[in-house]
Amino acid sequence: MDLVAQWVRVCWTKQSRGGHHAGRRNAAPSAFALPQIHARHTHEVTMHERDRFQPHARLHDGVPARDAVQLRHDGDHIRVEVIPPARGMPRRHRRPPAVRLTRGHWLRWQINYRFTDHCTGDWLYRLDTWNIAHGPVSLDVFLTEPRHSIDERTTLR
């Protein structure tokens, strides 16, 4: 499977739900230029409130985990579907269908969640952006407009 993935996560608490901190959170990018990578790698970029939303990047060998993104090779296409975490709220009973990516195209899929901290009971929030490309791509591919875009962001209480 000739695939490149970038997972951009933004994590915050109620401190960044409004005002100045929310502005900083909302200014966090949803894509980055790729490092020198090859197919079947996942570029993970995380931005936390505690670090003032500064990006921290890591590179993983292999495609995204099956419990996060479902990938199926379908002839000349790759079928892509983002899988919400079991603990993520609100539940999404109606979800968009999987996207079939042709070679040379890419997808941006955004979805947000609310979680409960096991120790404190406080709510934690996260926005996941999956940028997934099929085939050889340039290092700045995710800085361009995607051919396919799915926005599952919703209001988080």
Side-chain angles (χ1 to χ4, degrees):
M1 190 180 308
D2 201 6
L3 181 118
V4 175
Q6 183 179 75
W7 180 16
V8 179
R9 286 186 303 189
V10 180
C11 307
W12 67 96
T13 68
K14 66 182 177 181
Q15 294 292 109
S16 295
R17 293 227 32 212
H20 173 71
H21 296 292
R24 184 178 288 148
R25 171 179 53 87
N26 290 332
S30 57
F32 293 84
L34 293 165
Q36 198 69 5
I37 65 171
H38 306 283
R40 299 187 65 85
H41 280 85
T42 301
H43 180 225
E44 182 180 337
V45 182
T46 305
M47 293 169 278
H48 286 278
E49 172 188 85
R50 68 178 174 259
D51 299 328
R52 296 185 169 182
F53 301 104
Q54 293 299 311
H56 299 280
R58 296 187 322 180
L59 189 60
H60 302 281
D61 287 333
V63 297
R66 296 175 116 199
D67 62 348
V69 177
Q70 192 173 76
L71 301 167
R72 289 198 185 118
H73 198 263
D74 183 15
D76 292 341
H77 297 82
I78 294 177
R79 185 179 179 275
V80 179
E81 182 179 8
V82 170
I83 308 299
R87 295 184 8 215
M89 295 304 237
R91 299 268 187 250
R92 287 159 169 91
H93 301 288
R94 292 186 183 178
R95 302 219 36 244
V99 173
R100 291 182 60 195
L101 284 180
T102 57
R103 183 174 280 294
H105 293 144
W106 70 279
L107 157 75
R108 173 168 293 146
W109 195 314
Q110 293 186 292
I111 186 167
N112 59 353
Y113 316 100
R114 181 186 75 238
F115 299 93
T116 302
D117 185 288
H118 291 294
C119 297
T120 65
D122 291 339
W123 283 353
L124 308 171
Y125 304 91
R126 189 172 90 198
L127 169 63
D128 288 353
T129 301
W130 284 98
N131 298 309
I132 299 175
H134 180 203
V137 292
S138 66
L139 297 179
D140 65 349
V141 65
F142 297 137
L143 301 178
T144 65
E145 284 298 312
R147 178 66 158 261
H148 304 279
S149 182
I150 295 181
D151 188 346
E152 283 193 272
R153 292 177 290 178
T154 188
T155 302
L156 301 175
R157 296 182 288 160

